[in-house]
Amino acid sequence: MHSFALNFTGFEMNETAKWAHRLYSEGVDNKDAKAFADAFTDDGWLRFGNNEPLVGRESIEQAIAGFFRVMASLSHESTGTTWSDGTLVMEADVTYTLHHGGTVTVPACTIFRIADSPGSGDPKVRKCNVYVDLTPLYSEAQGGAA
């Protein structure tokens, strides 16, 4: 992470990065789909992998909750964070533990576009792209079920 902070929409890089790391460690890594969806604006947009975009918190929460059912647990190990002009890019190695006990680790990259929100409180996401190849996860999940 850079030692300087750029200011955009009232949020500084360091604070935005801390918020995002909290979102993952306290929400996503605890399979809390509501906490993840609540990070978005009302009309927030999410594209996960090559799936069709989801629009709105309710759609995001439902889809992410369904995804979380595939695994027993998951954890993100940050490998990089970049902030530029209202965009936060987070790179991570994500380890999924399947219900049968197998594990799969894949690299992932999440790009958050932060909403223009001059008020106080945590940032809100207006657009998010998650880039990850989940083929190894689904292959392991199906192999373990057979």
Side-chain angles (χ1 to χ4, degrees), residues 56-103:
R57 285 185 189 138
E58 187 175 325
S59 295
I60 293 169
E61 181 178 351
Q62 288 176 0
I64 295 299
F67 174 63
F68 286 161
R69 286 193 282 278
V70 172
M71 78 261 339
S73 66
L74 73 159
S75 65
H76 290 75
E77 181 180 329
S78 178
T79 58
T81 304
T82 304
W83 170 258
S84 178
D85 197 29
T87 300
L88 181 68
V89 178
M90 296 180 65
E91 299 169 89
D93 289 329
V94 186
T95 300
Y96 300 96
T97 301
L98 297 234
H99 294 288
H100 64 71
T103 62

Coordinates of all heavy atoms in Angstrom, one line a residue, residues 56-103:
G56 N -28.4 -4.0 -7.5 CA -29.2 -3.8 -6.3 C -28.7 -4.7 -5.1 O -28.3 -5.8 -5.4
R57 N -28.9 -4.2 -3.9 CA -28.4 -4.9 -2.8 C -29.0 -6.3 -2.6 O -28.4 -7.3 -2.3 CB -28.6 -4.1 -1.5 CG -27.7 -3.0 -1.3 CD -27.9 -2.3 0.0 NE -27.2 -1.1 0.1 CZ -27.6 0.0 0.6 NH1 -28.9 0.1 1.1 NH2 -26.9 1.1 0.7
E58 N -30.4 -6.4 -2.8 CA -31.1 -7.6 -2.6 C -30.6 -8.7 -3.6 O -30.3 -9.8 -3.2 CB -32.6 -7.4 -2.8 CG -33.4 -8.7 -2.5 CD -34.9 -8.4 -2.5 OE1 -35.3 -7.3 -2.2 OE2 -35.6 -9.4 -2.9
S59 N -30.4 -8.4 -4.9 CA -29.9 -9.3 -5.9 C -28.5 -9.7 -5.5 O -28.1 -10.9 -5.6 CB -29.9 -8.7 -7.2 OG -31.2 -8.4 -7.7
I60 N -27.6 -8.8 -5.1 CA -26.3 -9.1 -4.7 C -26.3 -10.0 -3.5 O -25.6 -11.1 -3.5 CB -25.5 -7.8 -4.4 CG1 -25.3 -7.0 -5.7 CG2 -24.1 -8.1 -3.7 CD1 -24.8 -5.6 -5.6
E61 N -27.0 -9.7 -2.5 CA -27.1 -10.6 -1.3 C -27.5 -12.0 -1.6 O -26.9 -13.0 -1.2 CB -28.0 -10.0 -0.2 CG -28.0 -10.8 1.0 CD -28.9 -10.2 2.1 OE1 -29.4 -9.0 2.0 OE2 -29.1 -10.9 3.1
Q62 N -28.6 -12.2 -2.4 CA -29.1 -13.5 -2.7 C -28.0 -14.3 -3.5 O -27.8 -15.5 -3.2 CB -30.4 -13.4 -3.5 CG -31.5 -12.9 -2.7 CD -32.8 -12.7 -3.6 OE1 -32.8 -12.9 -4.8 NE2 -33.9 -12.3 -2.9
A63 N -27.4 -13.7 -4.5 CA -26.4 -14.4 -5.3 C -25.2 -14.8 -4.5 O -24.7 -15.9 -4.6 CB -26.0 -13.6 -6.5
I64 N -24.7 -13.9 -3.7 CA -23.5 -14.2 -2.9 C -23.9 -15.2 -1.8 O -23.0 -16.1 -1.5 CB -23.0 -12.9 -2.2 CG1 -22.4 -11.9 -3.3 CG2 -21.9 -13.2 -1.2 CD1 -21.3 -12.5 -4.2
A65 N -25.0 -15.2 -1.2 CA -25.4 -16.2 -0.3 C -25.5 -17.6 -0.9 O -25.0 -18.6 -0.3 CB -26.8 -15.9 0.3
G66 N -26.0 -17.7 -2.2 CA -25.9 -18.9 -2.9 C -24.5 -19.4 -3.2 O -24.2 -20.6 -3.0
F67 N -23.6 -18.5 -3.5 CA -22.2 -18.9 -3.8 C -21.6 -19.4 -2.5 O -20.9 -20.4 -2.5 CB -21.5 -17.6 -4.3 CG -20.0 -17.8 -4.4 CD1 -19.5 -18.8 -5.3 CD2 -19.1 -17.1 -3.7 CE1 -18.1 -19.0 -5.4 CE2 -17.7 -17.3 -3.8 CZ -17.2 -18.2 -4.7
F68 N -21.9 -18.8 -1.4 CA -21.3 -19.2 -0.1 C -21.7 -20.6 0.3 O -21.0 -21.3 1.0 CB -21.7 -18.2 1.0 CG -20.9 -16.9 1.0 CD1 -21.4 -15.8 1.7 CD2 -19.8 -16.7 0.3 CE1 -20.8 -14.6 1.7 CE2 -19.1 -15.5 0.3 CZ -19.6 -14.5 1.0
R69 N -22.9 -21.1 -0.2 CA -23.3 -22.4 0.1 C -22.5 -23.5 -0.5 O -22.5 -24.7 -0.1 CB -24.8 -22.6 -0.3 CG -25.8 -21.9 0.6 CD -27.2 -22.3 0.4 NE -27.8 -21.7 -0.7 CZ -28.4 -20.5 -0.8 NH1 -28.3 -19.7 0.3 NH2 -28.9 -20.1 -1.9
V70 N -21.7 -23.2 -1.5 CA -20.8 -24.1 -2.2 C -19.7 -24.6 -1.3 O -19.2 -25.7 -1.4 CB -20.2 -23.5 -3.5 CG1 -19.1 -24.4 -4.1 CG2 -21.3 -23.2 -4.5
M71 N -19.2 -23.7 -0.3 CA -18.1 -24.0 0.5 C -18.4 -24.0 2.0 O -19.3 -23.4 2.4 CB -16.9 -23.1 0.2 CG -17.0 -21.7 0.8 SD -17.6 -20.3 -0.2 CE -17.5 -20.5 -1.8
A72 N -17.5 -24.7 2.7 CA -17.7 -24.7 4.2 C -17.1 -23.4 4.8 O -17.7 -22.8 5.7 CB -17.0 -25.9 4.8
S73 N -16.0 -22.9 4.1 CA -15.4 -21.6 4.6 C -14.5 -21.1 3.5 O -14.2 -21.8 2.5 CB -14.6 -21.8 5.9 OG -13.5 -22.6 5.6
L74 N -14.1 -19.8 3.7 CA -13.2 -19.2 2.7 C -12.4 -18.2 3.5 O -12.8 -17.7 4.5 CB -13.9 -18.6 1.5 CG -14.7 -17.3 1.7 CD1 -14.9 -16.6 0.4 CD2 -16.1 -17.6 2.3
S75 N -11.2 -17.9 2.9 CA -10.4 -16.8 3.5 C -9.6 -16.1 2.4 O -9.2 -16.8 1.5 CB -9.4 -17.4 4.6 OG -8.5 -18.3 4.0
H76 N -9.4 -14.8 2.6 CA -8.6 -14.0 1.7 C -7.3 -13.6 2.3 O -7.3 -13.1 3.4 CB -9.4 -12.7 1.4 CG -10.6 -13.0 0.6 ND1 -11.8 -13.5 1.1 CD2 -10.9 -12.8 -0.8 CE1 -12.7 -13.6 0.1 NE2 -12.2 -13.2 -1.0
E77 N -6.2 -13.8 1.6 CA -4.9 -13.3 2.0 C -4.5 -12.2 1.0 O -4.3 -12.5 -0.2 CB -3.9 -14.4 2.0 CG -2.5 -13.9 2.4 CD -1.5 -15.0 2.4 OE1 -1.8 -16.2 2.7 OE2 -0.3 -14.7 2.2
S78 N -4.5 -11.0 1.5 CA -4.2 -9.8 0.6 C -2.8 -9.9 0.0 O -1.8 -10.2 0.7 CB -4.3 -8.5 1.4 OG -4.0 -7.4 0.6
T79 N -2.7 -9.7 -1.3 CA -1.4 -9.7 -2.0 C -1.1 -8.3 -2.6 O -0.1 -8.1 -3.2 CB -1.3 -10.8 -3.1 OG1 -2.4 -10.6 -4.0 CG2 -1.4 -12.2 -2.4
G80 N -2.1 -7.4 -2.5 CA -1.9 -6.1 -3.1 C -3.1 -5.2 -3.0 O -4.2 -5.7 -3.1
T81 N -2.9 -3.9 -2.8 CA -4.0 -3.0 -2.8 C -3.6 -1.7 -3.5 O -2.5 -1.2 -3.2 CB -4.4 -2.6 -1.3 OG1 -4.7 -3.8 -0.6 CG2 -5.6 -1.7 -1.2
T82 N -4.4 -1.2 -4.4 CA -4.1 0.0 -5.1 C -5.3 0.9 -5.1 O -6.4 0.4 -5.3 CB -3.7 -0.3 -6.6 OG1 -2.6 -1.3 -6.6 CG2 -3.3 0.9 -7.4
W83 N -5.1 2.2 -5.0 CA -6.1 3.2 -5.0 C -5.8 4.3 -6.0 O -4.7 4.8 -6.0 CB -6.2 3.8 -3.6 CG -7.1 5.0 -3.5 CD1 -6.7 6.3 -3.4 CD2 -8.5 5.1 -3.3 NE1 -7.8 7.2 -3.3 CE2 -8.9 6.4 -3.3 CE3 -9.5 4.1 -3.3 CZ2 -10.3 6.8 -3.1 CZ3 -10.8 4.5 -3.2 CH2 -11.2 5.8 -3.1
S84 N -6.7 4.6 -6.9 CA -6.5 5.6 -7.9 C -7.9 6.2 -8.3 O -8.8 5.5 -8.7 CB -5.8 5.1 -9.1 OG -5.7 6.1 -10.1
D85 N -8.0 7.5 -8.1 CA -9.2 8.2 -8.6 C -10.5 7.6 -8.3 O -11.3 7.4 -9.2 CB -9.0 8.4 -10.1 CG -9.9 9.5 -10.7 OD1 -10.2 10.4 -9.9 OD2 -10.2 9.4 -11.8
G86 N -10.7 7.2 -7.0 CA -12.0 6.6 -6.6 C -12.2 5.2 -6.9 O -13.2 4.6 -6.7
T87 N -11.1 4.5 -7.3 CA -11.1 3.1 -7.6 C -10.2 2.3 -6.7 O -9.0 2.7 -6.6 CB -10.8 2.8 -9.1 OG1 -11.7 3.5 -9.9 CG2 -10.8 1.3 -9.4
L88 N -10.7 1.3 -6.0 CA -9.8 0.5 -5.1 C -9.7 -0.9 -5.7 O -10.7 -1.5 -6.1 CB -10.5 0.4 -3.7 CG -9.7 -0.5 -2.7 CD1 -8.4 0.3 -2.3 CD2 -10.6 -0.7 -1.5
V89 N -8.5 -1.3 -5.9 CA -8.2 -2.6 -6.5 C -7.5 -3.4 -5.4 O -6.5 -3.0 -4.8 CB -7.2 -2.5 -7.7 CG1 -6.9 -3.9 -8.3 CG2 -7.8 -1.6 -8.8
M90 N -8.1 -4.6 -5.2 CA -7.6 -5.5 -4.2 C -7.3 -6.8 -4.8 O -8.1 -7.4 -5.5 CB -8.7 -5.7 -3.0 CG -9.0 -4.5 -2.3 SD -10.2 -4.8 -1.0 CE -9.3 -5.9 0.1
E91 N -6.1 -7.3 -4.6 CA -5.6 -8.6 -5.1 C -5.5 -9.5 -3.9 O -5.1 -9.1 -2.8 CB -4.3 -8.5 -5.8 CG -4.3 -7.6 -7.0 CD -2.9 -7.3 -7.5 OE1 -2.4 -8.0 -8.3 OE2 -2.3 -6.3 -7.0
A92 N -5.8 -10.8 -4.1 CA -5.8 -11.7 -2.9 C -5.6 -13.1 -3.4 O -6.0 -13.5 -4.6 CB -7.0 -11.6 -2.1
D93 N -5.1 -14.0 -2.6 CA -5.1 -15.4 -2.8 C -6.3 -15.9 -1.9 O -6.3 -15.6 -0.7 CB -3.9 -16.1 -2.3 CG -2.7 -15.8 -3.3 OD1 -3.0 -15.7 -4.5 OD2 -1.6 -15.8 -2.8
V94 N -7.3 -16.5 -2.5 CA -8.5 -16.9 -1.8 C -8.5 -18.4 -1.6 O -8.3 -19.2 -2.6 CB -9.8 -16.5 -2.5 CG1 -11.0 -16.8 -1.7 CG2 -9.7 -15.0 -2.9
T95 N -8.6 -18.9 -0.4 CA -8.6 -20.3 -0.1 C -10.0 -20.7 0.3 O -10.6 -20.1 1.2 CB -7.7 -20.6 1.1 OG1 -6.3 -20.3 0.7 CG2 -7.7 -22.1 1.4
Y96 N -10.6 -21.6 -0.4 CA -11.9 -22.2 -0.2 C -11.8 -23.5 0.4 O -11.0 -24.4 -0.1 CB -12.7 -22.3 -1.5 CG -12.9 -21.0 -2.3 CD1 -12.0 -20.6 -3.3 CD2 -13.9 -20.2 -1.9 CE1 -12.2 -19.5 -4.0 CE2 -14.1 -19.0 -2.6 CZ -13.2 -18.6 -3.6 OH -13.4 -17.4 -4.3
T97 N -12.5 -23.8 1.5 CA -12.5 -25.1 2.1 C -13.9 -25.7 1.8 O -14.9 -25.0 2.1 CB -12.3 -25.0 3.7 OG1 -11.0 -24.5 3.9 CG2 -12.4 -26.4 4.3
L98 N -13.9 -26.8 1.2 CA -15.1 -27.4 0.7 C -15.8 -28.2 1.9 O -15.1 -28.6 2.9 CB -14.9 -28.4 -0.5 CG -14.4 -27.7 -1.7 CD1 -15.2 -28.1 -2.9 CD2 -14.2 -26.3 -1.7
H99 N -17.0 -28.6 1.7 CA -17.8 -29.3 2.7 C -17.2 -30.7 3.0 O -17.2 -31.2 4.1 CB -19.3 -29.5 2.3 CG -20.0 -28.1 2.3 ND1 -20.3 -27.4 3.5 CD2 -20.4 -27.4 1.3 CE1 -20.9 -26.3 3.1 NE2 -20.9 -26.2 1.8
H100 N -16.5 -31.3 2.0 CA -15.9 -32.6 2.2 C -14.5 -32.5 2.7 O -13.8 -33.5 2.9 CB -15.9 -33.4 0.9 CG -15.1 -32.8 -0.3 ND1 -13.8 -32.8 -0.3 CD2 -15.5 -32.2 -1.4 CE1 -13.3 -32.2 -1.4 NE2 -14.4 -31.9 -2.1
G101 N -14.0 -31.3 3.0 CA -12.7 -31.1 3.6 C -11.6 -30.6 2.6 O -10.5 -30.2 3.1
G102 N -11.8 -30.8 1.4 CA -10.8 -30.4 0.4 C -10.6 -28.9 0.4 O -11.5 -28.1 0.8
T103 N -9.5 -28.4 -0.1 CA -9.2 -27.0 -0.2 C -8.7 -26.6 -1.6 O -8.1 -27.4 -2.2 CB -8.2 -26.5 0.9 OG1 -7.0 -27.1 0.6 CG2 -8.7 -26.7 2.3

